[in-house]
């Protein structure tokens, strides 16, 4: 035995063994180098004809493994590839410094049944440009689900600027909630449009439920306007608005200092209930109140005079009553 074994050859060097073999450095803090140092297109080859799960085994029992490459690294496997860390602080980092085009590709697209499965406690995705998620098959669907039970569970934020948009296009859009729905627009309008002869429905499932349309902001009077330019079924005119309550009433209430007015074409009031006071005009807020019925122009059935007013009771009388201290005049 000598302290140094030096083997130099101007040609090839071949070491063959017919049994288990090893090259071992036994002293502490000593290295083992296996290198091809001539340059050009030379290769360092580690080959195994073994058929087991560890045909080539790299084992750093007390330290790490460091692979540096000045160019590409290509790993091909005919079966599984597994990368695991086992310590509580063990993490895996995949980084690309590519500045244009495809930088990192994860492809599981060999078949329609191929699955890419990502499980995580937290997923954080940050990009400087677009994110696109798409399926191309007829039954391909996308599910985004949160099992969060309190507070913010799902957040879509496109609020960087007043011109930022969130656009949803769908054949059918179905939104179900177990709590409240709030849609607020701090600077713009809210628009809901449907094609002709379709319906916008708001369903109330309990007698105590209410639909509110606020009209005041910080004490300032605002207009609440409903406009329709579409068509309705049957004999109703184009652009009609129908207020209908099948099993209950319809009430109109407004501030005592404000007005209720109607302006347009014909104004027809019909009461279908057989009851006293079926139609009643009643002013009861003070001694200075008056009720006026005025026809400035126009005609009624049975009269040719412009500005006529007709009082007609087909099956009953017409009564006039006034205060004893006041007069009836014509």
């Amino acid at each position: 035995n000598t302290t140094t074994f030096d083997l130099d050859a101007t040609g090839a060097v071949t070491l063959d063994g017919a049994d288990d073999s090893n090259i071992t450095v036994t002293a502490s803090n000593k290295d083992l180098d296996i290198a091809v140092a001539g340059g050009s297109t030379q290769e360092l080859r580690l080959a195994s004809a073994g058929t087991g799960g560890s045909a080539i085994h790299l084992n750093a029992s007390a330290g790490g493994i460091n692979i540096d490459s000045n160019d590409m690294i290509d790993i091909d496997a005919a079966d599984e590839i597994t990368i695991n860390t086992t310590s509580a602080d063990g993490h895996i980092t995949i980084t690309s410094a590519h500045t244009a085009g495809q930088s990192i590709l994860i492809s599981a697209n060999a078949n329609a049944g191929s699955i890419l499965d990502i499980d995580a406690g937290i997923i954080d995705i940050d990009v400087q440009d677009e994110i696109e998620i798409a399926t191309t098959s007829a039954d391909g669907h996308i599910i985004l689900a949160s099992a969060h039970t309190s507070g913010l569970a799902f957040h879509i934020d496109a609020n960087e600027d007043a011109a930022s948009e969130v656009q949803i296009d769908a054949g059918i859009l179905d939104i179900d909630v177990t709590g409240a729905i709030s849609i607020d627009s701090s600077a713009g309008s809210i628009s809901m449009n449907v094609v002709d002869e379709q319906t916008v429905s708001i369903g109330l499932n309990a007698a105590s439920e209410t639909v509110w349309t606020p009209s005041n902001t910080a004490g300032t009077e605002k207009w609440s306007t409903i406009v329709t330019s579409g068509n309705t079924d049957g004999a109703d005119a184009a652009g009609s608005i129908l207020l209908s309550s099948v099993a209950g009433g319809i009430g109109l209430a407004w501030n005592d200092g404000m007005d209720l007015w109607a302006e347009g074409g014909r104004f027809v009031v019909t009461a279908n209930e057989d009851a006293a006071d079926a139609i009643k005009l009643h002013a009861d807020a003070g001694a200075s109140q008056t009720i006026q019925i005025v026809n400035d122009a126009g005609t009624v059935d049975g009269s040719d005079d412009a500005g006529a007013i007709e009082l007609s009771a087909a099956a009953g009388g017409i009564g006039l009553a006034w205060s004893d201290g006041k007069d009836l005049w014509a």
Side-chain angles (χ1 to χ4, degrees):
N1 293 333
T2 62
T3 57
T4 301
F5 174 74
D6 188 1
L7 175 62
D8 294 316
T10 58
V13 174
T14 301
L15 297 176
D16 294 319
D19 207 340
D20 295 338
S21 304
N22 70 84
I23 299 175
T24 304
V25 176
T26 58
S28 178
N29 288 329
K30 303 299 178 180
D31 301 325
L32 172 64
D33 290 334
I34 300 175
V36 288
S40 189
T41 58
Q42 63 186 172
E43 298 180 1
L44 173 62
R45 302 187 184 97
L46 298 177
S48 172
T51 59
S54 298
I56 293 179
H57 185 191
L58 300 179
N59 183 12
S61 60
I65 295 177
N66 187 11
I67 300 175
D68 296 317
S69 173
N70 195 44
D71 205 342
M72 57 186 291
I73 294 178
D74 188 2
I75 300 174
D76 296 314
D79 212 333
E80 292 87 356
I81 295 177
T82 302
I83 301 174
N84 294 319
T85 62
T86 57
S87 65
D89 63 346
H91 61 278
I92 298 173
T93 301
I94 301 175
T95 303
S96 171
H98 194 54
T99 59
Q102 191 175 76
S103 296
I104 296 177
L105 172 64
I106 300 175
S107 177
N109 197 30
N111 189 273
S114 301
I115 297 175
L116 175 62
D117 189 358
I118 300 175
D119 300 317
I122 297 174
I123 294 180
D124 185 2
I125 301 175
D126 299 311
V127 298
Q128 298 181 31
D129 211 332
E130 293 88 354
I131 294 178
E132 181 176 346
I133 301 174
T135 62
T136 58
S137 66
D139 63 347
H141 59 279
I142 297 173
I143 297 177
L144 301 177
S146 171
H148 193 56
T149 58
S150 178
L152 189 67
F154 200 88
H155 186 194
I156 299 176
D157 186 351
N159 197 31
E160 186 66 22
D161 187 82
S164 301
E165 293 184 12
V166 174
Q167 181 173 331
I168 300 175
D169 299 319
I172 297 174
L173 179 62
D174 185 1
I175 301 175
D176 300 312
V177 299
T178 55
I181 296 178
S182 177
I183 301 176
D184 301 313
S185 176
S186 60
S189 61
I190 297 176
S191 177
M192 297 177 63
N193 298 310
V194 297
V195 298
D196 290 349
E197 300 184 3
Q198 298 301 310
T199 304
V200 176
S201 300
I202 299 176
L204 302 179
N205 296 321
S208 62
E209 290 179 327
T210 307
V211 177
W212 292 94
T213 57
S215 60
N216 290 308
T217 302
T220 303
E221 181 183 352
K222 300 291 183 181
W223 287 81
S224 295
T225 304
I226 300 175
V227 177
T228 175
S229 58
N231 296 323
T232 56
D233 292 332
D236 294 332
S240 297
I241 295 177
L242 172 65
L243 299 179
S244 175
S245 178
V246 176
I250 296 176
L252 300 177
W254 59 96
N255 187 282
D256 290 343
M258 299 300 177
D259 300 326
L260 171 67
W261 71 96
E263 182 177 351
R266 296 181 61 197
F267 180 66
V268 178
V269 178
T270 302
N272 293 321
E273 183 181 4
D274 184 7
D277 295 337
I279 297 176
K280 180 179 181 180
L281 300 178
H282 187 192
D284 64 350
S288 62
Q289 287 183 319
T290 61
I291 296 177
Q292 292 186 353
I293 301 175
V294 178
N295 185 359
D296 290 332
T299 61
V300 296
D301 294 340
S303 174
D304 295 329
D305 297 331
I309 295 176
E310 177 183 0
L311 299 178
S312 174
I318 295 175
L320 299 175
W322 57 94
S323 172
D324 291 342
K326 302 297 180 180
D327 300 324
L328 174 67
W329 70 94

